[in-house]
Amino acid sequence: MDLLGHLRHFRAVAEERHFGRAAERLRIAQPSLSQRIQRLERELGVTLFDRGPRGVALTPAGRLLLDEAEEVLESSARLLAVAADLRTGRAGTLRAAVPPDLGPAALAALLTGFESSSPGTRLDLRELPVAAAVRELAQHTVDVAVVRHPCPAAGLAFGPVLHQPLGVLLAADGPQADRPELAVAELTGRRLVLFPRATAPALYDEMLNTLARHGCTPEAVVDPPGPDVAGALVLTGSAVALVPRTVAPPGTVWRPLTGIPLTWRTSTAWPAGRDGPAVRLFAEAAHRALTEPGGLVPQLPNRPLFPRPAMEFPL
Amino acid sequence: MTSERTKGDRARRDHPGEDAPAPREPAGTRAARARIAAAFAEAGVTGLLHARDLDTGAELALGADTPVSTASVHKLCLLVTLYREAAAGRIDLTRPVDLPATGRTPGRTGLSAMLDAARLSLRDLAYLALAVSDNAAADVLWDEIGLDTVNRTMAELGLTRTIAVHTVRELFAALAEDTGQDSPVDPAVVARLRVLDPAFTNRSTAREMTALLAALWHGDACPGEPGAALRRLLGLQVWPHRLASGFPFDDVRVHGKTGTLPTLRHEVGVVEYPDGGRYALAVFTRAAATSITLPTADAAIGTAARLAVDALRLTSR
């Protein structure tokens, strides 16, 4: 029996919940699709579908086997992709992703660093938001990525975490612009510009929580609709922005925050168990590039952790 | 493996999952599922959920057949087994157990946090294990009952994907071994923890947990007085931050058991409305953030549960 073909048909019927629609999608006749599903059920010795007048529903056994079938089909697709890479000579390509806002200096150092440590490998580098990078890592369409935390960890392994310190961007003619550095608490009562919460809710909440921890109660937190509006709000002095060190746009100044209270945590990530030599070389190059020209700092001194009773596990 | 699964599936035959247009899943739940998924995303977690109307059998499922690391939720399986043994006359719940001051499984509540030797009955140990998730009390019971008896009991109830492979102290040993000297909130450390992987540790699914609660509420799991006693204990859990937070209503009763490990926050329980509506809920979450204090993620469990209950109530009452 052509198992892969039968499984593909099984999946189509499960998705369409209807033999007619599935047959149409597969461009085969409905009776022959029905026969193939019956053949598969005989082969497996399990009823996959409850057939009703208005369509079909997976049996519980069918549902479990669908998970397995999808796994088989996915790994066979991966096998074909690897074979295609070998055939076309793309096997020596590393597919990598970096998040926006790493800064050109860090990125340039990463490219030259990887090139010199791994001259034979072609680097296919894309700029991807973290959510997209995590999805592509899971699908194995990206081999290694630089991600920002908090980042969903299921199925991933991470390199060492680096901290990208945040500072404050203010209007150059505003009240606090003449200070070499500012304490977070001094931003109490000001309007703050962050990023749209929906793009990274966990990081957004973590930043607000850290502001509160350091005595800052902003008058309001503005979710900017776009970078231009954010820039305009800062320029007019009606808000200040919390951003990594940057070349301040004209009319604004960037100031560090006293004691590095706020950072964006960054690390490399790859699918767990798939850290081949090219992935490791990329991860090392990324770590070096982010640390030196990138200005990221290694693990800050560990804060004390005081677990609460509801935590249920010991540290 | 295949035959085991098939056997379990027969027991669940009239509870099709979210992949099929389940006959017992009321129309309109698709919108509720979207709202629940949005509530999880909004809180920075990925979540799995199963909700079951205990009287009509109506269901709402979101990834309800995906295996999860159950953490302390597995104490519910332990206690159902203990009370089932009592219902069968094989165990006397009033039997006292001597508890030396040393060698206790660590934790921040109950006997785990207490300093002196004590003597408690099996049912009072059960109270501590449920009400405050006392790890030391739970391990005394795990040692009394044994993993095999608990797993056999779950299989008898048709829950073949609900499996315990270690006691609390063994789970903590694996956690400590993987963490080593590193920070327990370092994402790279959390990513390598085996106790988050259902293939390694105690596991179940959201659907099987509500099936277990249904069996307890219907008197199938622990018939008679022991069943009532165990339902009472589930109503004595002290934590207000997860399932209960979604039902801040004086006239609604919440029973539950939580489970927590780095990035994992779970609760399963039963919510009872004064009009007689009773709903079993299982909510399992995994947060992107590694912080140990994360009230938004805790509250998302309550929010998701109430959205599910509202959807079931809208269609069935």
Side-chain angles (χ1 to χ4, degrees), chain B residues 27-47:
Chain B
T29 52
R30 186 181 294 258
R33 279 207 301 264
R35 278 196 292 276
I36 292 166
F40 285 140
E42 167 85 359
V45 306
T46 51

PDB file of all heavy atoms in Angstrom, chain B residues 27-47:
ATOM      1  N   ALA B  27     -23.291  24.696  18.906  1.00  0.00           N
ATOM      2  CA  ALA B  27     -22.925  25.707  17.928  1.00  0.00           C
ATOM      3  C   ALA B  27     -22.577  26.997  18.665  1.00  0.00           C
ATOM      4  O   ALA B  27     -23.036  27.232  19.777  1.00  0.00           O
ATOM      5  CB  ALA B  27     -24.109  25.951  16.996  1.00  0.00           C
ATOM      6  N   GLY B  28     -21.771  27.842  18.073  1.00  0.00           N
ATOM      7  CA  GLY B  28     -21.428  29.094  18.734  1.00  0.00           C
ATOM      8  C   GLY B  28     -20.182  28.972  19.575  1.00  0.00           C
ATOM      9  O   GLY B  28     -19.656  29.971  20.047  1.00  0.00           O
ATOM     10  N   THR B  29     -19.695  27.764  19.780  1.00  0.00           N
ATOM     11  CA  THR B  29     -18.498  27.616  20.596  1.00  0.00           C
ATOM     12  C   THR B  29     -17.252  27.996  19.804  1.00  0.00           C
ATOM     13  O   THR B  29     -16.209  28.233  20.391  1.00  0.00           O
ATOM     14  CB  THR B  29     -18.345  26.191  21.125  1.00  0.00           C
ATOM     15  OG1 THR B  29     -18.444  25.306  20.035  1.00  0.00           O
ATOM     16  CG2 THR B  29     -19.413  25.877  22.139  1.00  0.00           C
ATOM     17  N   ARG B  30     -17.377  28.035  18.470  1.00  0.00           N
ATOM     18  CA  ARG B  30     -16.218  28.444  17.669  1.00  0.00           C
ATOM     19  C   ARG B  30     -15.788  29.861  18.053  1.00  0.00           C
ATOM     20  O   ARG B  30     -14.609  30.130  18.252  1.00  0.00           O
ATOM     21  CB  ARG B  30     -16.570  28.374  16.183  1.00  0.00           C
ATOM     22  CG  ARG B  30     -15.412  28.643  15.255  1.00  0.00           C
ATOM     23  CD  ARG B  30     -15.870  28.571  13.810  1.00  0.00           C
ATOM     24  NE  ARG B  30     -16.281  27.205  13.465  1.00  0.00           N
ATOM     25  CZ  ARG B  30     -15.518  26.362  12.766  1.00  0.00           C
ATOM     26  NH1 ARG B  30     -14.343  26.731  12.351  1.00  0.00           N
ATOM     27  NH2 ARG B  30     -15.925  25.149  12.493  1.00  0.00           N
ATOM     28  N   ALA B  31     -16.785  30.741  18.206  1.00  0.00           N
ATOM     29  CA  ALA B  31     -16.476  32.122  18.598  1.00  0.00           C
ATOM     30  C   ALA B  31     -15.877  32.147  20.004  1.00  0.00           C
ATOM     31  O   ALA B  31     -14.932  32.886  20.269  1.00  0.00           O
ATOM     32  CB  ALA B  31     -17.739  32.971  18.548  1.00  0.00           C
ATOM     33  N   ALA B  32     -16.413  31.313  20.898  1.00  0.00           N
ATOM     34  CA  ALA B  32     -15.882  31.265  22.260  1.00  0.00           C
ATOM     35  C   ALA B  32     -14.435  30.788  22.243  1.00  0.00           C
ATOM     36  O   ALA B  32     -13.585  31.310  22.973  1.00  0.00           O
ATOM     37  CB  ALA B  32     -16.741  30.344  23.125  1.00  0.00           C
ATOM     38  N   ARG B  33     -14.165  29.782  21.399  1.00  0.00           N
ATOM     39  CA  ARG B  33     -12.783  29.282  21.316  1.00  0.00           C
ATOM     40  C   ARG B  33     -11.832  30.381  20.857  1.00  0.00           C
ATOM     41  O   ARG B  33     -10.719  30.496  21.341  1.00  0.00           O
ATOM     42  CB  ARG B  33     -12.702  28.082  20.374  1.00  0.00           C
ATOM     43  CG  ARG B  33     -13.115  26.792  21.034  1.00  0.00           C
ATOM     44  CD  ARG B  33     -12.439  25.613  20.359  1.00  0.00           C
ATOM     45  NE  ARG B  33     -12.784  25.564  18.953  1.00  0.00           N
ATOM     46  CZ  ARG B  33     -13.768  24.810  18.464  1.00  0.00           C
ATOM     47  NH1 ARG B  33     -14.467  24.050  19.268  1.00  0.00           N
ATOM     48  NH2 ARG B  33     -14.040  24.817  17.185  1.00  0.00           N
ATOM     49  N   ALA B  34     -12.288  31.195  19.899  1.00  0.00           N
ATOM     50  CA  ALA B  34     -11.445  32.291  19.415  1.00  0.00           C
ATOM     51  C   ALA B  34     -11.189  33.292  20.536  1.00  0.00           C
ATOM     52  O   ALA B  34     -10.072  33.791  20.700  1.00  0.00           O
ATOM     53  CB  ALA B  34     -12.099  32.971  18.220  1.00  0.00           C
ATOM     54  N   ARG B  35     -12.237  33.570  21.332  1.00  0.00           N
ATOM     55  CA  ARG B  35     -12.053  34.510  22.443  1.00  0.00           C
ATOM     56  C   ARG B  35     -11.089  33.948  23.479  1.00  0.00           C
ATOM     57  O   ARG B  35     -10.274  34.669  24.055  1.00  0.00           O
ATOM     58  CB  ARG B  35     -13.404  34.800  23.110  1.00  0.00           C
ATOM     59  CG  ARG B  35     -14.237  35.859  22.386  1.00  0.00           C
ATOM     60  CD  ARG B  35     -15.352  36.402  23.270  1.00  0.00           C
ATOM     61  NE  ARG B  35     -16.373  35.393  23.550  1.00  0.00           N
ATOM     62  CZ  ARG B  35     -17.396  35.123  22.730  1.00  0.00           C
ATOM     63  NH1 ARG B  35     -17.528  35.806  21.605  1.00  0.00           N
ATOM     64  NH2 ARG B  35     -18.277  34.197  23.022  1.00  0.00           N
ATOM     65  N   ILE B  36     -11.182  32.649  23.721  1.00  0.00           N
ATOM     66  CA  ILE B  36     -10.292  32.024  24.709  1.00  0.00           C
ATOM     67  C   ILE B  36      -8.841  32.066  24.212  1.00  0.00           C
ATOM     68  O   ILE B  36      -7.927  32.413  24.957  1.00  0.00           O
ATOM     69  CB  ILE B  36     -10.743  30.579  24.995  1.00  0.00           C
ATOM     70  CG1 ILE B  36     -12.083  30.606  25.733  1.00  0.00           C
ATOM     71  CG2 ILE B  36      -9.699  29.829  25.799  1.00  0.00           C
ATOM     72  CD1 ILE B  36     -12.794  29.268  25.778  1.00  0.00           C
ATOM     73  N   ALA B  37      -8.666  31.746  22.924  1.00  0.00           N
ATOM     74  CA  ALA B  37      -7.307  31.795  22.365  1.00  0.00           C
ATOM     75  C   ALA B  37      -6.746  33.208  22.471  1.00  0.00           C
ATOM     76  O   ALA B  37      -5.565  33.413  22.787  1.00  0.00           O
ATOM     77  CB  ALA B  37      -7.323  31.319  20.904  1.00  0.00           C
ATOM     78  N   ALA B  38      -7.615  34.209  22.227  1.00  0.00           N
ATOM     79  CA  ALA B  38      -7.157  35.600  22.325  1.00  0.00           C
ATOM     80  C   ALA B  38      -6.790  35.949  23.766  1.00  0.00           C
ATOM     81  O   ALA B  38      -5.817  36.661  24.009  1.00  0.00           O
ATOM     82  CB  ALA B  38      -8.249  36.540  21.809  1.00  0.00           C
ATOM     83  N   ALA B  39      -7.561  35.429  24.735  1.00  0.00           N
ATOM     84  CA  ALA B  39      -7.262  35.711  26.145  1.00  0.00           C
ATOM     85  C   ALA B  39      -5.908  35.114  26.533  1.00  0.00           C
ATOM     86  O   ALA B  39      -5.128  35.736  27.264  1.00  0.00           O
ATOM     87  CB  ALA B  39      -8.362  35.150  27.043  1.00  0.00           C
ATOM     88  N   PHE B  40      -5.618  33.924  26.041  1.00  0.00           N
ATOM     89  CA  PHE B  40      -4.312  33.314  26.318  1.00  0.00           C
ATOM     90  C   PHE B  40      -3.198  34.172  25.707  1.00  0.00           C
ATOM     91  O   PHE B  40      -2.207  34.493  26.370  1.00  0.00           O
ATOM     92  CB  PHE B  40      -4.237  31.891  25.746  1.00  0.00           C
ATOM     93  CG  PHE B  40      -5.002  30.856  26.532  1.00  0.00           C
ATOM     94  CD1 PHE B  40      -5.728  29.861  25.895  1.00  0.00           C
ATOM     95  CD2 PHE B  40      -4.974  30.846  27.923  1.00  0.00           C
ATOM     96  CE1 PHE B  40      -6.426  28.890  26.610  1.00  0.00           C
ATOM     97  CE2 PHE B  40      -5.665  29.881  28.658  1.00  0.00           C
ATOM     98  CZ  PHE B  40      -6.391  28.906  27.990  1.00  0.00           C
ATOM     99  N   ALA B  41      -3.356  34.532  24.422  1.00  0.00           N
ATOM    100  CA  ALA B  41      -2.314  35.309  23.733  1.00  0.00           C
ATOM    101  C   ALA B  41      -2.089  36.645  24.427  1.00  0.00           C
ATOM    102  O   ALA B  41      -0.956  37.084  24.630  1.00  0.00           O
ATOM    103  CB  ALA B  41      -2.706  35.521  22.269  1.00  0.00           C
ATOM    104  N   GLU B  42      -3.180  37.269  24.832  1.00  0.00           N
ATOM    105  CA  GLU B  42      -3.146  38.556  25.513  1.00  0.00           C
ATOM    106  C   GLU B  42      -2.329  38.484  26.802  1.00  0.00           C
ATOM    107  O   GLU B  42      -1.680  39.442  27.209  1.00  0.00           O
ATOM    108  CB  GLU B  42      -4.603  38.946  25.794  1.00  0.00           C
ATOM    109  CG  GLU B  42      -4.847  40.069  26.741  1.00  0.00           C
ATOM    110  CD  GLU B  42      -4.775  41.414  26.042  1.00  0.00           C
ATOM    111  OE1 GLU B  42      -4.508  41.438  24.824  1.00  0.00           O
ATOM    112  OE2 GLU B  42      -4.965  42.417  26.716  1.00  0.00           O
ATOM    113  N   ALA B  43      -2.361  37.317  27.450  1.00  0.00           N
ATOM    114  CA  ALA B  43      -1.641  37.144  28.715  1.00  0.00           C
ATOM    115  C   ALA B  43      -0.224  36.620  28.499  1.00  0.00           C
ATOM    116  O   ALA B  43       0.486  36.337  29.467  1.00  0.00           O
ATOM    117  CB  ALA B  43      -2.421  36.201  29.623  1.00  0.00           C
ATOM    118  N   GLY B  44       0.172  36.455  27.233  1.00  0.00           N
ATOM    119  CA  GLY B  44       1.529  35.973  26.963  1.00  0.00           C
ATOM    120  C   GLY B  44       1.724  34.492  27.257  1.00  0.00           C
ATOM    121  O   GLY B  44       2.813  34.064  27.615  1.00  0.00           O
ATOM    122  N   VAL B  45       0.652  33.708  27.135  1.00  0.00           N
ATOM    123  CA  VAL B  45       0.777  32.266  27.363  1.00  0.00           C
ATOM    124  C   VAL B  45       0.198  31.495  26.185  1.00  0.00           C
ATOM    125  O   VAL B  45      -0.590  32.030  25.407  1.00  0.00           O
ATOM    126  CB  VAL B  45       0.035  31.806  28.653  1.00  0.00           C
ATOM    127  CG1 VAL B  45       0.491  32.610  29.854  1.00  0.00           C
ATOM    128  CG2 VAL B  45      -1.486  31.911  28.503  1.00  0.00           C
ATOM    129  N   THR B  46       0.597  30.220  26.062  1.00  0.00           N
ATOM    130  CA  THR B  46      -0.138  29.312  25.202  1.00  0.00           C
ATOM    131  C   THR B  46      -0.985  28.453  26.130  1.00  0.00           C
ATOM    132  O   THR B  46      -0.536  28.094  27.216  1.00  0.00           O
ATOM    133  CB  THR B  46       0.800  28.422  24.369  1.00  0.00           C
ATOM    134  OG1 THR B  46       1.754  27.823  25.248  1.00  0.00           O
ATOM    135  CG2 THR B  46       1.546  29.242  23.337  1.00  0.00           C
ATOM    136  N   GLY B  47      -2.203  28.159  25.724  1.00  0.00           N
ATOM    137  CA  GLY B  47      -3.096  27.469  26.639  1.00  0.00           C
ATOM    138  C   GLY B  47      -3.861  26.340  25.989  1.00  0.00           C
ATOM    139  O   GLY B  47      -4.132  26.353  24.789  1.00  0.00           O
TER     140      GLY B  47
END
